[in-house]
């Protein structure tokens, strides 16, 4: 008798709330580091920095209905003219899975460009390759996905090609003859392959962007992963042809000769990450990357297309102090080496430099609720 | 014996927490659309846009004590000089209900101006009438409410009249002889009527704003609703007399003749929304509105007071794909027609235009926790 | 049999989630007031203001692992160049307690400077003393704490000395011969004493800041508290020697004689708060403070070092309307009196003034989830 009374006086959380509380996660994605910076090889600066801090809410909010929101505290919030939402907000979308095979989603999305570097949680990437660093990666639009029984996943997305308007990005006087597109879109096709029980996985994608009237950008990313018990290897190849320079790296250099918006640029990138878990708690890794920047529209026909080669190499160690909890303490060395072509050095007034930094810190997608 | 052990090892959420988790909701108010825009009748732009995205926490946090917070990710956050809180924050207040009849609340509030257009969740309003669009709607202050047994509700509020200072809003050189008020307040009286078991409801209000020393604004909103099983009709009449132009629409036009802050302006608005549910999942609606802008201080005595008539008409369809869940997919047509008086055309250099847009999208106050 | 079925259909919140929900708090730290302002003794302005609004998530997120995040909606968010996180974010750190004695934490922290004024929740401080008001209080870094069995706590911290760079703070042309430091750090040592079962407590600290190459700031804060049943008294003494003026108060005055960044400044502060609870629901308090600003680098050897004495006095009353809930209604009078030395008046063109304001409002760290 008494036990029943006791139970009755306990406020019971309503079932719908229990489902939400069970299925929705609140996460603080954090990477905090003590950085020692050596621009051009000389020690110049030490500081503590919150390299990443992204607040996230995600989960199942109704049977077959999912939600995801992620917002940064490390980027100035500024409402964007194209999609009307803050630049600090990475993700804000709903997803509906009518059955186990199909997904449909809409909102501000992560463009499904593939490659394992891009696909990782940003707190895991100590330094992005140029081709990812200088892209607009969070765009508004819709997506449709299909997963086969053998876990192959196919996705198509239709997105705005950017968050700012054409005129905000380009000085229209600088690109005579180029007209703003009526619908500047990005169309993405992605395949996530899965072979040998997940031992080999792929994230391959092709995207086309309409940057302006009759001006397109084509982007291919081919991500490949081998996951073994004692070894994990990822290799991404990425290539972007840009009729109107969108990464703005080449344009930044051609400004020196009066060309504020370069045309016919090309960016190519190789990226590799190898992980060797030494024990359950200790992981050694190495990231290597090289980015090439080309300008195929040089008015000087004798000049070579390649303007810059940017190398990156990041050896490091990651230690997991907690059992079954995704928090790691890391130490790494980040080296970057920028080599310009003779043409870029003499005509565009660029010069080679070698920067590196040594960091220790912590990384965790902290589950706080 | 063993079952008891099992129960004891289960962490039990404390009672006070269970009450909070039961009574507090975390909501993401979202409207996402694919917009096709036809300024002056010609197709010019398509884009995906997050038309609304407001993060909300609200509920009962203690017996008789309520809290509500709402913040936008679609507006630049900027601390306001008058009330010291971000412009992106709509609501941040606590409410105390000493008994079932009385409510008292304080903080950053929604001014209780009434009219059904203004009272709706912003995600439901595809396009606001001018008189609401150009008003400061979220203001800091206090409110007192009384609900009768027959569900009539009476509210009075005392608020700051704005979030920015007089000098931030008006070029003081442009309004010679007008002094800043020591307490620029808005006082609001509101009646929410309820008749025939809710079949007829009203939200009527009268407000007075002290904009500057001896300069007032008077605002009347008369909202009326008929709710039948197969038909819902809302009609709002709104009227604002402004000794110092506050909506800034007339001032925007009189700038052409050197008057940066117009005086003695008047804005009047009719707004109607009709909803016809076809089935449980499908709703047809039509919104119509007309806004008039008057200038009663024209130095030219022969000029008519009315400067502009702005029409709006929004037919559309809303589909609820989920049972018992407030998410809808919509399609609509938004037409706006701006007609200026001959005086406004010739002297103030304005010209008529007809804009429209066609959108499809989703609306939901997503309950995420 | 049937009862078991009933139990099985109830969604049970997973144990790890139950622990999070039990141990993590979501708090809205709020102070809202109606302010009547009398600059220089004359009534000039009344307004409602959200004096404080800080969103907080904190608690135990894993056995021995804690998290705390706090962000303001009353300060413009702006990513800082030194620590890369928004200026609006006070706190974003994780803490690990290996056992009951030791704590280690890292992230954006509250510098553990001690003094009871600084240690209080900001919603409790109606007006800060100059020495706290003009300091950078939330800094990125690491901390280590040790608590003895007798509840004495010792902490050391290593932090960035600021959130902005040297060049953002100082016009480098204005400080010839001063070079940016490679690692502008703040090192803090803190002792929290506890005597006679908590009747006497202390928060004492010493900090050294490296502001620039060979330019240091030394800061001492000695906080002391006597807590009796019917009386609580806090007294803080604070002293800051600044080789390069960091509070910028003296620099603000010496700008008049062409010195944009003053050197060899000193700030000293006495602060006292007395609380007398009249009943369980009513508390009377008085805050008194005086801040001295000195300039020891005056090129005029006859000029006295002390430039300004700033008095503050805040009598008030706080009423707790809810039993066992930390929400209070307050009324207070805030008086500030600024007295300049004759030298500051004549040469630096400053003048004395007496400001006060009268406020009523509410304060609460509202627990919303």
């Amino acid at each position: 008798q008494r036990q029943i009374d006791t139970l009755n006086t306990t406020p019971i959380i309503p079932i719908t709330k229990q489902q939400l509380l069970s299925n929705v996660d609140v996460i603080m994605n954090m990477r905090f580091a003590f950085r020692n910076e050596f621009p051009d090889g000389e020690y110049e600066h030490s500081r503590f920095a919150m390299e990443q801090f992204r607040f996230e809410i995600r989960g199942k909010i109704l049977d077959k209905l999912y939600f995801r929101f992620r917002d940064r505290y490390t980027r100035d919030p500024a409402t964007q003219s194209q999609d009307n939402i803050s630049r600090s907000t990475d993700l804000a979308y709903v997803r509906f899975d009518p059955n186990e095979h199909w997904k449909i989603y809409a909102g501000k999305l992560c463009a499904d460009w593939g490659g394992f570097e891009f696909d990782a949680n940003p707190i895991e990437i100590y330094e992005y390759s140029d081709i990812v660093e200088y892209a607009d990666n969070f765009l508004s639009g819709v997506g449709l996905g299909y997963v086969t029984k053998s876990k192959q996943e196919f996705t198509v997305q239709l997105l705005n090609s950017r968050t700012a308007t054409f005129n905000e990005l380009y000085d229209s006087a600088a690109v005579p003859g180029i007209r703003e597109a009526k619908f500047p879109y990005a169309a993405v096709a992605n395949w996530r392959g899965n072979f040998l029980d997940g031992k080999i996985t792929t994230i391959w994608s092709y995207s086309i962007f309409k940057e302006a009237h009759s001006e397109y950008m084509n982007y291919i990313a081919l991500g490949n992963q081998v996951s073994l018990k004692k070894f994990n290897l990822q290799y991404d190849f990425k290539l972007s042809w840009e009729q109107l320079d969108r990464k703005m790296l080449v344009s930044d250099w051609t400004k020196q000769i009066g060309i504020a918006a370069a045309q016919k640029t090309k960016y190519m990138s190789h990226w590799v990450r190898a992980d060797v878990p030494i024990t359950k708690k200790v992981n050694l890794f190495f990231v290597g990357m090289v980015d090439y920047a080309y300008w195929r529209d040089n008015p000087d026909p004798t000049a070579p297309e390649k303007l810059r080669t940017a190398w990156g190499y990041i050896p490091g160690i990651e230690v997991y102090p907690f059992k079954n909890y995704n928090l790691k303490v890391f130490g790494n060395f980040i080296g970057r080496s920028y080599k310009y072509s003779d043409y870029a050095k003499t005509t565009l007034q660029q010069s080679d430099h070698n920067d590196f930094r040594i960091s220790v810190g912590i990384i965790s997608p902290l589950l706080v609720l």
Side-chain angles (χ1 to χ4, degrees), chain A:
Chain A
Q1 197 74 23
R2 221 179 135 190
Q3 199 187 4
I4 289 165
D5 280 353
T6 310
L7 284 169
N8 284 349
T9 60
T10 308
I12 299 297
I13 302 172
I15 302 276
T16 52
K17 274 284 183 183
Q18 288 198 38
Q19 287 169 329
L20 280 179
L21 294 169
S22 300
N23 298 328
V24 174
D25 290 335
V26 178
I27 297 162
M28 292 290 186
N29 296 285
M30 175 174 173
R31 183 171 79 230
F32 181 73
F34 181 63
R35 297 160 67 113
N36 301 283
E37 296 163 355
F38 299 75
D40 237 331
E42 252 183 89
Y43 173 57
E44 201 171 298
H45 206 191
S46 293
R47 58 185 175 119
F48 294 97
M50 191 62 78
E51 297 187 336
Q52 296 279 349
F53 197 86
R54 305 187 194 215
F55 173 59
E56 183 168 356
I57 301 181
R58 71 168 174 201
K60 189 163 92 167
I61 55 175
L62 190 73
D63 186 38
K64 299 179 177 176
L65 191 66
Y66 298 80
F67 171 75
R68 191 168 179 197
F69 170 76
R70 198 173 72 194
D71 186 67
R72 310 187 201 187
Y73 285 87
T74 53
R75 172 169 275 200
D76 288 355
T79 307
Q80 298 292 289
S81 53
Q82 196 72 353
D83 62 5
N84 197 44
I85 190 166
S86 173
R87 191 168 156 268
S88 71
T89 301
D90 294 342
L91 305 168
Y93 67 84
V94 284
R95 195 185 92 211
F96 172 59
D97 292 5
N99 57 47
E100 58 184 312
H101 292 301
W102 290 95
K103 302 172 181 186
I104 178 165
Y105 49 99
K108 189 165 182 187
L109 311 171
C110 185
D112 202 3
W113 288 338
F116 284 88
E117 178 195 21
F118 179 70
D119 205 56
N121 185 329
I123 57 175
E124 303 287 346
I125 305 298
Y126 297 106
E127 177 104 356
Y128 278 101
S129 62
D130 287 356
I131 207 168
V132 175
E133 180 68 28
Y134 294 94
D136 242 346
N137 297 316
F138 301 102
L139 299 169
S140 290
V142 292
L144 180 72
Y146 179 78
V147 188
T148 68
K149 276 186 188 166
S150 57
K151 289 191 187 166
Q152 311 292 320
E153 188 171 349
F154 300 92
T155 304
V156 289
Q157 290 182 328
L158 182 65
L159 308 164
N160 290 339
S161 75
R162 43 182 134 81
T163 64
T165 63
F166 179 78
N167 291 315
E168 286 165 343
L169 280 184
Y170 302 99
D171 178 357
S172 54
V175 281
I178 292 186
R179 295 204 324 269
E180 195 176 350
K182 288 191 194 297
F183 179 28
Y185 66 84
V188 185
N190 179 297
W191 163 56
R192 287 166 192 264
N194 191 308
F195 305 96
L196 305 174
D197 270 332
K199 281 191 189 68
I200 293 178
T201 48
T202 60
I203 315 178
W204 288 18
S205 77
Y206 164 70
S207 311
I208 182 165
F209 298 71
K210 186 168 192 174
E211 286 299 329
H213 187 76
S214 289
E215 301 286 325
Y216 293 89
M217 174 170 123
N218 285 275
Y219 180 53
I220 283 175
L222 306 175
N224 309 279
Q225 178 174 250
V226 178
S227 299
L228 303 177
K229 222 173 173 178
K230 287 289 184 193
F231 184 63
N232 196 78
L233 184 71
Q234 298 174 325
Y235 166 68
D236 289 347
F237 171 77
K238 307 186 192 88
L239 180 56
S240 180
W241 293 271
E242 314 191 350
Q243 285 186 284
L244 190 57
D245 186 29
R246 183 72 174 76
K247 301 285 179 291
M248 303 277 183
L249 279 172
V250 170
S251 299
D252 201 41
W253 308 322
T254 58
K255 267 192 298 194
Q256 298 291 340
I257 53 168
I259 297 174
Q263 296 187 44
K264 291 190 189 163
T265 61
K266 188 174 86 175
Y267 298 93
M268 187 166 75
S269 171
H270 299 278
W271 179 93
V272 65
R273 175 171 175 139
D275 285 274
V276 182
I278 302 296
T279 71
K280 275 191 180 176
K281 294 197 157 190
V282 179
N283 181 51
L284 297 181
F285 69 88
F286 176 82
V287 177
M289 53 190 163
V290 56
D291 279 85
Y292 304 99
Y294 303 87
W295 186 31
R296 298 156 59 222
D297 194 38
N298 198 326
D300 175 354
T302 64
E305 292 189 349
K306 181 155 68 180
L307 297 186
R308 186 170 92 166
T309 306
W311 297 90
Y313 40 102
I314 313 173
I317 183 169
E318 294 169 336
V319 178
Y320 294 81
F322 301 100
K323 207 173 152 181
N324 301 325
Y325 197 81
N326 189 8
L327 182 148
K328 54 192 174 193
V329 177
F330 69 88
N332 68 27
F333 172 98
I334 298 179
R336 295 304 307 265
S337 176
Y338 301 94
K339 306 283 179 206
Y340 290 86
S341 69
D342 290 339
Y343 172 83
K345 282 178 185 163
T346 53
T347 310
L348 307 178
Q349 294 166 39
Q350 301 303 311
S351 51
D352 292 354
H353 52 113
N354 293 282
D355 306 334
F356 62 90
R357 70 172 189 268
I358 300 169
S359 302
V360 291
I362 49 172
I363 291 178
S364 185
L366 296 158
L367 180 69
V368 297
L369 219 67

